[in-house]
Amino acid sequence: MIKNFKNLSGAALALALAALPGVAHAGGSAAASGTATLTVINQCSVSGTTVDLGSYLTTNTWGTVGAKLGQLVGTTYTAGTNGPDALNFGTINCDDKLGYNLAIAGTGTTGAIKLTINGKVMQLLMAVKKIGASPIGDSAGTPLPGTGAYLLNGGKAGGTGTGAAQSIFGSVTVSPGTTGSTAALTDQLGVANTYTDSLTYTLSF
């Protein structure tokens, strides 16, 4: 009786071991595949700067500023003595032959520069005339003929990278008729101070 019990226990153990996973017969194999990737992307960057609109006397008027920078009254644009590419707006540095578009906006209506002086608001319209050595043509329907890419209402200046930094040149136009402006060309600047507005640069490529 004991002998038969031993034989039965050995047989049960053998069956249990055979049923366990991983205790299969040796000699099997498995294979899989994967992928290694390295991605190189185009590079493009923009650097803003302090755009110097000039120094004026308290007795000067917005007309004085407009005579230097340019002015738009109604639909009549008068170029300023500065010319269309006297102001430096910063730099762009993009890979060689990489196309890009640049937008610059102030805090005024539709992205104009907004300056509040002597209690009144004047908005100034921006345009980019040249990036690096490349001239920028006028935007379609621009109210500022000869000034290049008109940056308001979503306007952008387009160009192509060279692999080196390119300076951004353009102009700013005094616009008393723009919605939001409360100052007239005849208003004196009046109060000595340094007046500023924040500019936001958006570069797409």
Side-chain angles (χ1 to χ4, degrees), residues 12 15 17 30-32 51 54-55 57 61 77 79 86 97 116 125 127 142 152-153 177 196 200 204:
L15 287 173
L17 289 175
V51 182
S55 298
L57 304 175
T61 66
Y77 169 69
K97 298 180 176 59
T116 303
L125 317 180
T142 177
L152 270 70
N153 297 302
T196 64
T200 300
S204 54

Side-chain angles (χ1 to χ4, degrees), residues 112-127:
I113 294 173
K114 179 182 178 181
L115 297 179
T116 303
I117 301 178
N118 203 15
K120 294 185 178 181
V121 175
M122 181 63 77
Q123 302 203 70
L124 301 96
L125 317 180
M126 290 179 285

